[in-house]
């Protein structure tokens, strides 16, 4: 079992930056691939970025490439999402997720077994 708790959301102007954190409980965090997803009102939850358990492999959605950066610190059981050059269309609730299975970083929400409660990001124009 892994429990996840996000923090760091808030209100920012377009072009600004925010950093999100996700702290995991459980001793097996370091063996999980991790992902960030987001969901805007009236839309499906979508993949944003994922990171392998080792931190070596990252996969980004095209919409955030070059603007968002994922990283993790297994010693702190934490995964981070740095968001730069934010746009109004980045407005959503952001969720941290963990995939306990071996293999490559997966990009659909159905591939992740554990979820945080979400943190809201609002980007004003």
């Amino acid at each position: 079992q892994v429990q996840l708790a996000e923090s760091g959301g808030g209100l920012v102007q377009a072009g600004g930056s925010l950093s999100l954190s996700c702290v995991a409980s459980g001793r097996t965090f370091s063996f999980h691939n991790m992902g960030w997803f987001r969901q805007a009102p009236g839309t499906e939850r979508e993949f944003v970025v994922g990171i392998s358990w080792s931190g070596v492999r990252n996969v980004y959605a095209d919409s955030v490439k070059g603007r968002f950066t994922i990283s993790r610190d297994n010693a702190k059981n934490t995964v981070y999402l740095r968001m730069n050059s934010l746009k109004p269309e980045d407005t959503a609730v952001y969720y941290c997720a963990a995939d306990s299975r071996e293999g490559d970083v997966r990009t659909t929400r159905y591939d992740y077994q554990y979820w945080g409660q979400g943190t809201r990001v609002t980007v004003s124009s």
Side-chain angles (χ1 to χ4, degrees):
Q1 282 278 344
V2 175
Q3 294 182 327
L4 305 171
E6 305 96 335
S7 63
L11 173 64
V12 64
Q13 287 188 332
S17 298
L18 274 177
S19 292
L20 306 182
S21 298
C22 172
V23 179
S25 64
R27 293 175 295 176
T28 60
F29 170 78
S30 60
F31 299 110
H32 289 68
N33 291 344
M34 300 295 295
W36 285 95
F37 288 73
R38 66 187 181 187
Q39 187 167 18
T43 69
E44 295 286 321
R45 190 170 299 187
E46 66 173 0
F47 174 80
V48 176
V49 59
I51 187 168
S52 62
W53 67 270
S54 64
V56 171
R57 169 89 167 132
N58 299 334
V59 179
Y60 290 88
D62 288 342
S63 59
V64 305
K65 278 182 182 176
R67 301 188 298 122
F68 290 14
T69 303
I70 191 171
S71 61
R72 68 188 294 164
D73 185 338
N74 287 343
K76 296 182 178 179
N77 279 9
T78 303
V79 62
Y80 305 95
L81 181 63
R82 175 65 176 177
M83 304 184 292
N84 295 326
S85 302
L86 283 161
K87 305 175 182 180
E89 51 263 44
D90 294 319
T91 295
V93 176
Y94 283 71
Y95 296 90
C96 174
D99 178 7
S100 62
R101 299 171 299 170
E102 294 181 1
D104 208 350
V105 175
R106 298 174 175 90
T107 61
T108 75
R109 59 179 174 153
Y110 305 105
D111 290 320
Y112 290 76
Q113 300 81 47
Y114 305 103
W115 293 85
Q117 81 287 351
T119 185
R120 185 173 301 276
V121 172
T122 303
V123 184
S124 63
S125 57

